[in-house]
Amino acid sequence: MQLKDKVAIVTGASKGIGKAIALLLASQGAKIVVNFATEKMLAEEVVKKIGHNQALAFAAHVEKPDEVASMIRETLKHWGRIDILINNAGIINDKFLMVMTDDEWQKVIDVNLTGVFNCCRAVAKQMVAQKSGKIVNISSTAAVRGLLGQANYAASKAGLEGLTKAFAKEMSHYNIYINSIAPGFIESDRVAELREDIKRDYLRLIPMERFGLPEEVAQVALFLVTEAASYIQGQTIMVDGGITV
């Protein structure tokens, strides 16, 4: 197993891409902190699937530094180290910019961007002490494409990619790798709720003519946290079926 005895924190791991990443890393031997904000039952189901000796669920809002700090302390108390951080937690709150409220703007920035900052900062000292670590930030093709009604979301993800590059330069000396993955349209609750005509419109934009699967994003995350990615630093990998080509 590629990740035997490694310890990974996966934020927003109760469903979707985060869940797929948590399950795949666990299948490769990693011990997993299944972070969630509100969906405790779903997170506990992920823990049960992995096994209670190999996973624990921890409630923390990533936009709240004190809750992130508690999660880091509990992880270190439980397993003594942190090798991998997957910053997946995120929210969407679409509205055209002209009618977007201050709160609708700020909440998305707080969770999607400041949340990543909080988690990266919180694990940095431990990873520097270990002189090793892998961080993967889940971005979005919205960072480079922009989408109607997603000024807040696109800005948060573009900022995340800037953070990734800057932090990668700061941490390279300590054998700490920071990269991003930018998924396109991935099968999710959000996609499932779309009207069929809207789905067809989106599919026409994708050269591969299908939506991606959470497991396909997870495979890239696994690659980035293994030695196979030993010369990849500060990059964003598109997992989008060709939509940004």
Side-chain angles (χ1 to χ4, degrees):
M1 290 187 287
Q2 298 180 81
L3 302 178
K4 189 176 187 302
D5 297 326
K6 300 293 185 182
V7 177
I9 296 174
V10 184
T11 69
S14 61
K15 62 182 180 179
I17 290 172
K19 175 182 177 180
I21 293 173
L23 292 175
L24 183 58
L25 299 190
S27 76
Q28 294 301 308
K31 299 177 176 67
I32 309 292
V33 175
V34 178
N35 163 256
F36 67 97
T38 58
E39 297 174 323
K40 183 177 181 179
M41 289 183 62
L42 292 178
E44 289 177 345
E45 287 175 10
V46 176
V47 170
K48 184 177 180 180
K49 196 163 189 177
I50 293 170
H52 287 87
N53 62 330
Q54 194 183 345
L56 63 89
F58 197 95
H61 294 79
V62 296
E63 69 273 26
K64 298 181 179 180
D66 56 335
E67 294 188 13
V68 171
S70 294
M71 178 170 65
I72 301 307
R73 286 196 300 270
E74 186 63 25
T75 302
L76 293 174
K77 179 181 176 182
H78 206 75
W79 282 312
R81 59 185 297 115
I82 300 170
D83 301 286
I84 297 164
L85 168 64
I86 309 291
N87 284 306
N88 170 75
I91 62 170
I92 294 175
N93 192 352
D94 294 352
K95 187 174 284 188
F96 284 109
L97 188 144
M98 288 191 300
V99 293
M100 186 179 291
T101 67
D102 292 349
D103 286 345
E104 288 165 342
W105 166 268
Q106 196 61 53
K107 180 63 175 177
V108 172
I109 297 296
D110 286 348
V111 175
N112 294 3
L113 181 55
T114 305
V116 174
F117 163 76
N118 289 337
C119 291
C120 286
R121 182 177 60 177
V123 302
K125 288 184 180 179
Q126 180 63 29
M127 288 185 172
V128 167
Q130 295 170 181
K131 288 190 167 49
S132 67
K134 306 273 188 172
I135 298 174
V136 177
N137 298 325
I138 304 301
S139 180
S140 167
T141 55
V144 294
R145 294 178 65 235
L147 289 172
L148 287 169
Q150 289 195 337
N152 49 6
Y153 185 74
S156 71
K157 295 300 187 179
L160 183 152
E161 294 192 10
L163 184 156
T164 297
K165 294 178 187 300
F167 197 42
K169 288 184 176 181
E170 293 179 12
M171 293 292 104
S172 290
H173 177 71
Y174 301 101
N175 193 37
I176 298 167
Y177 294 77
I178 302 98
N179 292 287
S180 295
I181 300 171
F185 291 102
I186 303 298
E187 293 280 3
S188 63
D189 293 344
R190 178 176 171 80
V191 169
E193 291 168 359
L194 293 173
R195 297 198 319 259
E196 288 304 315
D197 59 322
I198 295 176
K199 287 183 185 180
R200 287 194 295 271
D201 288 342
Y202 283 146
L203 286 169
R204 290 190 191 101
L205 300 173
I206 304 171
M208 292 184 68
E209 299 180 338
R210 68 174 179 87
F211 298 125
L213 299 174
E215 290 76 15
E216 292 174 309
V217 181
Q219 289 288 348
V220 180
L222 174 62
F223 165 70
L224 287 173
V225 301
T226 65
E227 290 306 309
S230 59
Y231 203 56
I232 299 175
Q233 179 70 302
Q235 301 302 308
T236 298
I237 298 178
M238 302 290 180
V239 183
D240 65 359
I243 201 170
T244 53
V245 173

